[in-house]
Amino acid sequence: MEIEVIRETKLELEMIVHGENHSLCNVLRKYLMEDEDVEYAVYGIDHPLTGEPIMTIKTKRSHRPRDSLLKAAQRLKEETAEFRGLIEDI
């Protein structure tokens, strides 16, 4: 996976998530929207077969979108590890 930043301001980050699809982007969007510092997090894929996700994160006040993204990614990593542990116990 590679992330390409398209546009970044103090409160907004727009990026292409190369090599990914709805699976990763949807869960990241969900975790971002649960963050009280995030105003909105959206993504879109122009073409279902050849398109790549473009994600936009807008934060409130003076919170950096990169910080919110890192927090959401860390949460995803932790929950994935927990799920993997549950699967291995079966």
Side-chain angles (χ1 to χ4, degrees), residues 2-90:
E2 179 184 338
I3 294 177
E4 176 185 345
V5 175
I6 299 172
R7 186 173 61 84
E8 184 172 17
T9 65
K10 185 177 179 182
L11 298 177
E12 193 168 56
L13 175 66
E14 185 175 7
M15 62 192 176
I16 300 172
V17 186
H18 295 287
E20 292 300 329
N21 56 30
H22 291 286
S23 299
L24 176 72
C25 293
N26 198 36
V27 73
L28 270 179
R29 182 203 58 78
K30 178 186 180 297
Y31 290 162
L32 284 161
M33 289 304 298
E34 291 173 358
D35 184 339
E36 64 183 28
D37 296 326
V38 174
E39 187 170 327
Y40 64 80
V42 296
Y43 78 92
I45 300 176
D46 288 340
H47 190 278
L49 298 176
T50 60
E52 294 190 297
I54 298 176
M55 180 171 271
T56 304
I57 304 164
K58 182 160 184 353
T59 53
K60 300 175 185 174
R61 300 174 292 278
S62 60
H63 298 280
R64 294 183 54 214
R66 282 182 187 243
D67 294 339
S68 293
L69 179 60
L70 287 171
K71 190 162 72 171
Q74 182 61 37
R75 181 174 169 200
L76 176 59
K77 181 179 176 182
E78 290 167 1
E79 290 197 10
T80 301
E82 180 183 345
F83 181 71
R84 173 181 249 166
L86 293 171
I87 295 297
E88 289 172 353
D89 290 343
I90 294 177

